[in-house]
Amino acid sequence: MFAPFHEALADPPGRLSLLRRRSGRPLIGVAPAYFPPEWVHAAGGLPVAFWGAALPVARADALLPPYCCPVARSILEMELAGRTAELAGWVFTSLCDTLVNLREIFRRLSSRPTLVFPIPLATDPFARRRRLAELIPAAFEDLGRLTGSAATGASLASASRLYGEIRNLQRRLYSLRRSRPGLIGVRNFYAALRAGFFMEPEEYRGRLADLLSRLEAAPEPPAGRRPRLFLSGMVVPPDEVLGLLEHLGLDPADDDFANGGRMISRPVFDPQDPAGSLEAAIFGGTPCCCLHVPGTDRAAVFPRLVREAGAGGVLLLPVRCCEPDAFERPAIGAGLAAAGIPALTMEMDCESLPLESLRTRLEAFRELLEESGP
Amino acid sequence: MTRLASFARMKELMTGYYLEAKTTREKPVIWLTSGAPVEYVYAAGALPVYPENYAAMCAASHQAPPLLEAAEAQGYSPDICAYARTDFGQDLLRGGPAGGLPPPQALVCATNICRTVVKWFEAVARKNRAPLFVVDMPFLHDGLTREALNYVLGQFRALEGFLAAQTGSAFDRERLLATVSLSREATGLWRKTLDLARHRPSPITALDAFVHIAPIVTLRGTPQCRDYYRELHREVADRVVRGEGAIPRERYRVLWDNLPIWHRMRWFETFFAERGLTLAAATYPNSWAAIDPPPGFQADDPLEALAVSYLNLYIHFGFTQRIDYLERLIEEFALTGFIMHSNRSCKPYSVGMYGLREELSRRTGLPGVVIEADQNDPRQFTEARTVTALEAFLEAMKPIDG
């Protein structure tokens, strides 16, 4: 059932080559985060989202210091190693200081065009809204330069519909995981989610719809007490870590990964209300550590998210050297402690994962959750 | 540092400033980032407090380590900016030269120096239940644009309302214009002072500039600040007239890129002076020295000019503009090489620096070196490694008239 999703993630360079041949569209690499993929599709391109990879970094060391996050370092490593050679261009947002400068590094590496979408952080809501309204036409103009063709009203409406349907299917997948514990394996779940970054959207929609029909019709999984977790972090952790959770019988009920729960909680772009819907697509939904949303305190919201998910504990999986996330961690930890929710923090360094030590800590955490009971 | 007599005056000025900050009952205390438009805060009758400046003071006086450790014990990762960790630590321990900072009634931060300050100030706002106003300044990937400028100006107008709500009185535009005028005078004098380093021997080094930066960061917009830089400029200009250099025998004239390593100022002073190396130019002090705006942005309107000066910062530039600027400094200050500080605490300055070093060397034919350290965290500094890197750099560098 899940094989096509795993297949899509298995060999990124091979996949890119296949996608380019099959789709006939220029492939556009999308760096984290919140750039609407439907815009790329509407402009005739095929968005391929990169969220970092678990690989040894060698070439990127010459350009990025070790105190940069492994997401940025691994994306640059892939670029320098020629693993992204099939891309016609790159899209960046101003999500954090590292990504702002990473775009500048990419610009100097090759003549391939890059686009940057500066996410406004103004407290003043009018300034923010006006700025977004200004940025939209500029972004489409730049996208046209990347893809070689311009988006039209019709192509944008169609792409927004397509990606809106995908978003709804992904929400169904999340809902199913929450309501039927044990039905979907941890690795399978995230493969089904992340494969969308490396598939043609039409194919992905079809496969996801088919998967959901089969899962919804599947018999109930065997009953048994498995500790339910809320996973939190900037990006879905590497497959090895997901495998560990599965192996140890730890069952994620929900997450707030920027390429997971945060993404699916946001609406897609609506061409009928460009600035308003873009604002919702970036700032709405589950709070993100990289954004400033006046009146929203992620640390205060967090315990509610955990309770709503029905999770008995939280696994915080911050990416090493991710400053925005690190700034919020003490407040989130304090909020969880005050709410009596057990939490375990395990820093994720995709360049070197100490799996045995992670396993020991997870086992101890599982015991703690089992003792505290539902 | 080289002993400028103005140092005593600056110390007096800064002591008075911190004393007022700690004791004021009348003025609301507003915390600011170093790149935020302080002129608005002074015009509103509030008192600006700069945790960055205080963090630097803590490090320069070797009082940062216990503060860093206190913050880390609270769960703040050593991966986050050491200024922020020092600040969290001073709050926990009431530490540092002034025995801690007064808590903010409100906070204003601007993204022209980094986006990290937003997270830092959010944490402080949360702790103190104080309102936070973020002035978003778009990064200039391809230079200044009219749209970016208008966006910032719109936020400046909204800031007036925010500050009026904090002070309880209407925002006074006339007072703002007077403050902006004082600020421009001070930044002009600061720039003229830094430009005196074009003379050979240089009468001032970047290490002096790092020390004498405090008033331009904290007090710009006040008459005391302008008067102080008049005095400093006069003193440095007198050195030029006398042909007096900042160090005894100037053999090398070098650029410093990035923030200083505050906890090692004296060490660098000695190391450089012994080898005849003057840091004649630096990018960091120029952040408050009004870099010339691009054509089409020399505004007559003082508030527009103010917005341009806050947007037009070196670390807010795309790399093409950065490297052009570095090349220009090297030429104008007749430099013989450059040192880049890969600063763990400052990603906007440091990410991409390795490539810039190579490109700048290629363009200028001059040697450059990257040293790995941290502006505030002494645990990130390895003396032996730094000496080795700097000695190799000195060997590769051709001395003046050599």
Side-chain angles (χ1 to χ4, degrees):
Chain A
M1 237 183 331
F2 290 91
F5 301 111
H6 286 288
E7 204 176 290
L9 298 167
D11 167 28
R15 189 72 193 174
L16 294 182
S17 187
L18 182 76
L19 280 176
R20 196 166 68 88
R21 279 200 315 275
R22 263 200 212 154
S23 71
R25 286 168 173 254
L27 304 186
I28 306 299
V30 182
Y34 306 125
F35 188 85
E38 54 272 24
W39 288 10
V40 179
H41 197 267
L46 182 63
V48 190
F50 288 84
W51 290 88
L55 47 84
V57 169
R59 295 168 179 85
D61 262 337
L63 291 170
L64 280 182
Y67 51 82
C68 279
C69 74
V71 173
R73 283 165 61 82
S74 62
I75 290 175
L76 181 59
E77 183 70 20
M78 291 180 78
E79 176 80 358
L80 293 172
R83 291 164 65 104
T84 51
E86 296 281 355
L87 300 180
W90 278 94
V91 170
F92 291 86
T93 66
S94 59
L95 197 68
C96 67
D97 292 326
T98 298
L99 284 168
V100 167
N101 281 16
L102 187 65
R103 190 259 176 158
E104 288 296 313
I105 292 173
F106 269 62
R107 286 174 103 179
R108 303 187 92 72
L109 283 178
S110 79
S111 55
R112 267 193 299 177
T114 62
L115 172 164
V116 67
F117 188 85
I119 296 175
L121 297 181
T123 294
D124 177 33
F126 303 107
R128 183 189 292 233
R129 181 69 71 94
R130 268 198 309 272
R131 177 76 177 150
L132 282 172
E134 269 171 16
L135 290 170
I136 295 168
F140 277 109
E141 199 176 304
D142 285 347
L143 264 178
R145 200 164 41 83
L146 261 66
T147 61
S149 57
T152 63
S155 71
L156 192 52
S158 155
S160 291
R161 240 188 340 269
L162 173 61
Y163 279 84
E165 285 166 17
I166 289 172
R167 188 64 50 88
N168 285 334
L169 293 168
Q170 290 173 327
R171 286 179 185 146
R172 264 173 66 194
L173 187 69
Y174 265 76
S175 168
L176 203 55
R177 174 172 74 166
R178 191 185 281 203
S179 61
R180 295 176 64 184
L183 180 69
I184 314 169
V186 188
R187 288 180 63 250
N188 282 341
F189 178 86
Y190 287 106
L193 183 75
R194 290 184 301 159
F197 303 137
F198 287 92
M199 273 185 171
E200 287 177 84
E202 297 85 354
E203 182 194 356
Y204 181 60
R205 176 184 56 186
R207 291 203 181 274
L208 199 53
D210 178 54
L211 174 73
L212 283 162
S213 306
R214 292 161 74 177
L215 285 171
E216 280 158 355
E220 283 304 318
R225 251 185 84 224
R226 292 155 57 91
R228 304 220 75 196
L229 293 178
F230 188 96
L231 309 183
S232 176
M234 195 59 204
V235 296
V236 174
D239 233 27
E240 294 91 324
V241 177
L242 299 175
L244 259 185
L245 296 179
E246 194 165 286
H247 178 73
L248 295 172
L250 289 160
D251 192 15
D254 205 347
D255 70 66
D256 80 338
F257 298 124
N259 56 349
R262 285 179 218 175
M263 174 182 76
I264 67 135
S265 70
R266 285 161 164 73
V268 297
F269 181 71
D270 175 5
Q272 301 300 315
D273 174 21
S277 73
L278 182 61
E279 196 173 17
I282 297 171
F283 299 103
T286 306
C288 175
C289 55
C290 292
L291 303 172
H292 171 63
V293 185
T296 302
D297 180 357
R298 183 164 168 250
V301 170
F302 207 81
R304 179 175 56 77
L305 294 177
V306 178
R307 283 200 201 91
E308 282 173 4
V314 176
L315 192 52
L316 298 156
L317 300 163
V319 172
R320 182 182 65 79
C321 289
C322 175
E323 261 194 311
D325 198 24
F327 267 103
E328 293 190 340
R329 232 177 296 153
I332 284 179
L336 290 172
I341 301 169
L344 173 68
T345 302
M346 299 199 313
E347 192 171 76
M348 291 291 104
D349 182 352
C350 312
E351 291 173 37
S352 108
L353 277 170
L355 285 175
E356 275 315 303
S357 137
L358 295 179
R359 173 200 293 268
T360 308
R361 298 180 65 203
L362 280 171
E363 279 171 345
F365 190 52
R366 184 187 60 189
E367 280 171 29
L368 174 83
L369 294 176
E370 282 169 348
E371 281 164 19
S372 54
Chain B
M1 307 315 108
T2 49
R3 304 286 176 261
L4 285 158
S6 306
F7 181 72
R9 172 75 191 116
M10 187 196 68
K11 231 175 150 182
E12 190 187 315
L13 205 57
M14 294 307 293
T15 304
Y17 161 74
Y18 274 104
L19 204 62
E20 185 184 10
K22 296 273 288 184
T23 56
T24 185
R25 294 275 181 276
E26 306 80 39
K27 296 179 182 175
V29 168
I30 311 275
W31 279 29
L32 280 193
T33 53
S34 60
V38 64
E39 294 81 0
Y40 282 79
V41 176
Y42 276 122
L47 201 135
V49 163
Y50 288 86
E52 288 164 74
N53 174 260
Y54 191 65
M57 281 169 58
C58 292
S61 57
H62 306 287
Q63 297 181 58
L67 309 181
L68 294 165
E69 284 163 14
E72 288 159 19
Q74 286 279 305
Y76 286 105
S77 161
D79 289 335
I80 67 170
C81 165
Y83 269 180
R85 274 180 288 138
T86 305
D87 173 45
F88 298 144
Q90 69 77 23
D91 182 42
L92 291 162
L93 303 182
R94 308 310 303 152
L101 289 176
Q105 176 180 319
L107 303 95
V108 178
C109 86
T111 58
N112 51 353
I113 53 166
C114 62
R115 297 168 83 85
T116 297
V117 288
V118 177
K119 304 315 295 178
W120 171 3
F121 272 41
E122 276 181 357
V124 178
R126 181 187 297 122
K127 163 106 195 276
N128 291 280
R129 297 173 194 273
L132 165 64
F133 189 96
V134 177
V135 182
D136 184 33
M137 303 213 190
F139 187 86
L140 306 181
H141 285 280
D142 295 296
L144 192 54
T145 63
R146 183 56 55 183
E147 291 75 20
L149 183 58
N150 289 339
Y151 175 47
V152 170
L153 281 167
Q155 293 176 78
F156 279 5
R157 283 190 290 275
L159 179 61
E160 293 180 7
F162 176 81
L163 291 169
Q166 303 310 314
T167 59
S169 38
F171 190 82
D172 185 341
R173 196 51 95 78
E174 287 305 311
R175 197 170 168 192
L176 172 66
L177 294 174
T179 310
V180 168
S181 168
L182 282 167
S183 171
R184 288 183 80 168
E185 271 191 83
T187 51
L189 286 160
W190 177 233
R191 178 163 171 174
K192 271 173 68 182
T193 308
L194 297 173
D195 279 350
L196 290 172
R198 293 171 191 229
H199 290 273
R200 283 166 55 179
S202 173
I204 185 172
T205 79
L207 295 172
D208 298 312
F210 294 147
V211 172
H212 290 268
I213 216 169
I216 199 69
V217 175
T218 54
L219 294 164
R220 66 186 183 279
T222 65
Q224 299 93 309
C225 182
R226 176 203 52 199
D227 296 348
Y228 171 72
Y229 285 104
R230 266 192 195 143
E231 194 179 315
L232 179 69
H233 178 259
R234 199 176 307 123
E235 187 184 356
V236 178
D238 283 349
R239 280 188 171 181
V240 174
V241 172
R242 294 197 300 272
E244 186 184 329
I247 63 166
R249 198 167 63 93
E250 185 176 279
R251 295 188 68 216
Y252 304 102
R253 294 170 56 82
V254 171
L255 172 91
W256 179 277
D257 186 37
N258 212 315
L259 276 77
I261 300 168
W262 292 112
H263 46 93
R264 281 281 169 156
M265 293 285 278
R266 189 75 67 197
W267 185 86
F268 275 109
E269 182 195 21
T270 308
F271 184 91
F272 290 150
E274 283 174 357
R275 289 154 182 84
L277 187 155
T278 301
L279 293 179
T283 50
Y284 181 61
N286 294 356
S287 306
W288 297 272
I291 295 173
D292 290 331
F297 288 94
Q298 276 103 349
D300 292 329
D301 175 68
L303 297 185
E304 191 172 314
L306 186 74
V308 167
S309 72
Y310 280 114
L311 274 164
N312 203 42
L313 296 181
Y314 170 74
I315 56 162
H316 209 46
F317 293 162
F319 286 3
T320 299
Q321 213 181 336
R322 274 193 207 189
I323 206 150
D324 288 347
Y325 180 67
L326 293 174
E327 193 179 10
R328 204 162 64 239
L329 285 179
I330 284 173
E331 193 186 317
E332 289 175 359
F333 285 76
L335 304 180
T336 55
F338 58 94
I339 298 172
M340 291 177 150
H341 167 203
S342 171
N343 178 2
R344 198 180 166 89
S345 273
C346 187
K347 293 195 171 75
Y349 242 127
S350 308
V351 173
M353 182 174 264
Y354 301 160
L356 290 181
R357 190 251 324 248
E358 280 189 17
E359 203 169 333
L360 190 59
S361 271
R362 215 168 29 242
R363 276 210 209 174
T364 61
L366 296 178
V369 66
V370 173
I371 54 174
E372 303 288 340
D374 187 286
Q375 67 205 31
N376 251 46
D377 191 338
R379 296 166 300 182
Q380 300 297 337
F381 184 82
T382 311
E383 188 172 309
R385 188 176 62 179
T386 309
V387 168
T388 306
L390 288 175
E391 293 287 13
F393 166 64
L394 280 156
E395 269 177 38
M397 188 162 48
K398 206 172 140 196
I400 304 162
D401 306 325

